[in-house]
Amino acid sequence: MGVSGYILIKSGRLIDPSQDWDFVSDILIKNGVIIASGCNIDEETLEDGFKLICASGLMVSPGFIDIHAHLREPGFEYKETIASGTKAAAKGGFTTVSCMPNTDPPIDNAAVVNFIHERARTEGLVRVLPIGCVTRGRAGKELADMEEMASAGVVAFSDDGDPVYDPALMQLALSYSGDLNLPISNHCQDHSLSRGGVMAEGAVATRLGLPGIPSAAEEAMISRDIALASITGGRLHVAHLSTAGSVVLVRSALEQGIPVTAEVCPHHLSITDQWVFGTKGVYTEAASPFSYDTSTKVYPPLRTDQDVGALIQGLASGVIPCIATDHAPHDLASKQVTYEDASFGISVFETALGSLMELVHGGRLSPSTLVERLTSGPAQVLGSKFHKFATLAMDTPADLVIFDPDKEWIVDTNEFASKGKNTPLVGSKLKGKVMGTIFDGEIVFQDAEFLEKVEEVG
C-alpha cells in the first residue's frame, strides 16, 4: 500500500520506546519506508513533490498495535466489517489490528484465515492479523487444526468470548503453542462461578439488583492456566485482566519464571462499575432513570476503583506489558434492551488514546510508558518478527501515529467511523486526540485540523 515520493515530518516530539527516544526531531519517509529519523532533515535537499507535515507541538510514535479486537466479519457485518473496523482503527492511531475468531463461520481453518487476509488486502486501511480458534467451532470439544492455521498466517489462538474450559484441552493447546511459537490468548472466566452475571459483583450490583460476576471467576481460571503453562512451557497470554487479584497472580507467575503475558483494556483502566448507575462515575447510592446504562455492559465487567488502581500499577510496573482494546462493536438493537439482555462489549478504537491520556495527564504513566504498552509491548507478545512495526528506526515500515496530547474533544458517536456506537464515554470530554495516522507510508487518517499542517511541496 506504500506510496511513491517523500513524506517529511518536521519538528515532532518523537516517542519511540524501542530506541529510548523522547525528543523533538524529524522523520523522512519514502515509498512506505522510514529512510531517516531522529535527526534534522533539510527540506531544501529533497526532490520536488513531497508532503511536508508540520508536527510542532505534536507527538509522533510508532503506530499502535492492538492484539485483541473484534472486526465481526464474516457473519456479523451489521455490527462491523473489516472496512469499517480498520477505518475506525486508523482514526484511533492503530496501524496493526489482531482480529478475534468469534465470527460466523469462526476462524478455525485455513480457508477462513485466507478470507480475512484477502478482505483486509482489498478493503482494509491498516494491517489485519487473524487470530485462530483454539477449539473447532469454538465449541470447546476438540482442538482446531492449529498447525494448518499457523501455516496460513494466524498470529495467536483464542476462543475469546468463551474460555477454553476443559483443562486437558488447554494443556494440549499450550503444548502445541510452544512448538508453533504462537501464544494462546485465553478468555479467563470460570462459568460455574460467573454464569448469569451481568456486571461486577459488589455494592453497585446489589443496589441495582443485578446478578454479579465475582472476581474469583477470572482469578480461578488464570490460576489454572498459569499452572498449565508451568508444566507445558507453552506461551500463555491472559486476555483483558480486570481484577487486582489477577495482577497478583501474573506477577507471582513472572517471579517464578513462568512464561505468561497479559493485557489490559482502556475501559478497565479508566472507568468503574459506578458508571452502571448512568452518572459517568459520579458517586451515587441509588438508581435513577439514567441507571442500567447498557453501554457499560462488558466482559469482563467494569470493576471497582481498587481494581482500576491495581491494573494501572501493574501496567506501569511492566507486569502487564500491553494494552489491548477488546474493541467490540454492536448494533443498536443489541444494546437498547434490558441490562440483562444486552450484549457484552464496548466500541473502543476511537476513544482509546483519549481515555488513556488521562493516566499521563494525571501523572500515573509517562508518555513513553503509555506508547510502549501500545507498541513494543504488544509486538513482544506477537513475536520478534513484529518488532519492525513498533519502531521509528530507519529501514522499517512507515507505520506512525501523530497525536496532540493536549487536544480536548467531546466524544460524539455520530462521528465514529466504526458501525458500533456503543460506548459509555458518549458526551465525555477527553484530552488527547489522534491527528494523523500513516500506514505503510500512506496517510490513512487525518483530522480536519491536521489538514492545515500538511503541505504539498513542489
Side-chain angles (χ1 to χ4, degrees):
M1 190 182 282
V3 294
S4 59
Y6 292 99
I7 298 178
L8 175 59
I9 303 172
K10 288 290 292 183
S11 303
R13 180 179 169 184
L14 308 189
I15 309 285
D16 182 2
S18 75
Q19 302 184 89
D20 198 25
W21 282 7
D22 185 352
F23 52 78
V24 175
S25 193
D26 304 341
I27 296 176
L28 183 62
I29 298 167
K30 185 178 183 183
N31 297 329
V33 176
I34 297 173
I35 62 171
S37 60
C39 57
N40 180 61
I41 301 167
D42 186 354
E43 58 193 87
E44 298 296 330
T45 64
L46 301 182
E47 307 167 3
D48 286 343
F50 66 92
K51 283 187 173 68
L52 174 64
I53 299 175
C54 176
S56 177
L58 304 178
M59 291 183 175
V60 183
S61 82
F64 303 149
I65 298 173
D66 190 4
I67 61 174
H68 185 150
H70 300 269
L71 299 182
R72 303 301 189 197
E73 190 175 6
F76 303 101
E77 288 84 356
Y78 61 98
K79 293 176 182 283
E80 191 80 286
T81 62
I82 288 173
S84 65
T86 56
K87 186 177 181 181
K91 192 173 179 181
F94 294 91
T95 53
T96 299
V97 175
S98 304
C99 59
M100 283 293 174
N102 55 339
T103 52
D104 185 17
I107 308 175
D108 67 354
N109 61 74
V112 185
V113 175
N114 292 334
F115 169 84
I116 299 292
H117 282 309
E118 179 61 18
R119 190 55 59 92
R121 185 186 68 80
T122 58
E123 297 188 13
L125 280 185
V126 301
R127 185 177 297 103
V128 176
L129 306 175
I131 294 175
C133 295
V134 177
T135 66
R136 199 176 304 277
R138 294 180 54 251
K141 302 297 184 182
E142 59 179 330
L143 287 185
D145 194 331
M146 297 169 67
E147 187 170 357
E148 174 190 287
M149 289 187 287
S151 297
V154 300
V155 295
F157 300 98
S158 179
D159 277 359
D160 188 62
D162 290 296
V164 180
Y165 204 71
D166 185 331
L169 274 179
M170 187 62 178
Q171 180 177 350
L172 188 57
L174 283 168
S175 296
Y176 286 149
S177 77
D179 295 336
L180 297 172
N181 196 28
L182 296 174
I184 306 292
S185 175
N186 199 19
H187 176 115
C188 290
Q189 292 289 324
D190 187 328
H191 284 330
S192 65
L193 295 172
S194 65
R195 195 176 306 278
V198 295
M199 66 169 295
E201 184 178 82
V204 177
T206 299
R207 292 192 188 106
L208 292 174
L210 294 173
I213 301 171
S215 298
E218 177 173 308
E219 295 159 9
M221 189 162 282
I222 291 176
S223 296
R224 182 205 73 172
D225 286 353
I226 288 172
L228 295 176
S230 178
I231 62 176
T232 61
R235 291 190 56 192
L236 172 63
H237 178 74
V238 183
H240 41 48
L241 289 191
S242 73
T243 77
S246 296
V247 178
V248 173
L249 290 169
V250 173
R251 181 184 296 112
S252 176
L254 293 173
E255 290 171 350
Q256 297 173 61
I258 300 171
V260 56
T261 54
E263 70 192 31
V264 64
C265 303
H267 41 281
H268 289 127
L269 293 167
S270 57
I271 57 181
T272 69
D273 59 349
Q274 189 74 26
W275 282 59
V276 183
F277 275 119
T279 58
K280 303 293 185 185
V282 176
Y283 180 76
T284 182
E285 292 188 353
S288 74
F290 301 103
S291 295
Y292 306 96
D293 179 2
T294 58
S295 69
T296 64
K297 188 179 179 183
V298 65
Y299 215 118
L302 303 174
R303 296 200 179 272
T304 67
D305 282 324
Q306 180 184 0
D307 292 303
V308 170
L311 292 167
I312 294 170
Q313 197 281 328
L315 189 69
S317 67
V319 170
I320 305 172
C322 60
I323 296 168
T325 67
D326 194 11
H327 173 73
H330 286 294
D331 60 307
L332 194 63
S334 295
K335 288 291 190 177
Q336 286 198 344
V337 290
T338 66
Y339 204 91
E340 289 92 330
D341 292 332
S343 296
F344 289 102
I346 296 174
S347 185
V348 181
F349 279 151
E350 294 162 82
T351 60
L353 179 68
S355 62
L356 292 167
M357 282 302 297
E358 292 181 12
L359 304 179
V360 174
H361 294 305
R364 307 187 78 172
L365 287 181
S366 69
S368 182
T369 299
L370 176 59
V371 170
E372 198 279 336
R373 302 297 187 262
L374 286 165
T375 57
S376 300
Q380 177 186 359
V381 173
L382 293 175
S384 58
K385 68 179 180 180
F386 295 98
H387 291 178
K388 64 184 177 182
F389 302 127
T391 182
L392 299 178
M394 288 176 54
D395 301 321
T396 60
D399 293 356
L400 304 91
V401 58
I402 302 169
F403 59 96
D404 185 339
D406 298 314
K407 176 66 177 178
E408 293 185 340
W409 59 287
I410 304 295
V411 177
D412 180 356
T413 56
N414 293 319
E415 298 179 355
F416 274 18
S418 172
K419 289 187 177 184
K421 316 303 180 185
N422 48 300
T423 173
L425 295 174
V426 61
S428 299
K429 179 186 287 188
L430 302 181
K431 186 177 181 181
K433 190 176 186 183
V434 173
M435 305 304 289
T437 303
I438 297 174
F439 168 64
D440 200 23
E442 182 176 354
I443 299 174
V444 292
F445 168 73
Q446 46 191 338
D447 185 87
E449 293 183 22
F450 186 69
L451 289 171
E452 301 174 2
K453 297 179 177 291
V454 181
E455 177 183 355
E456 295 282 352
V457 178

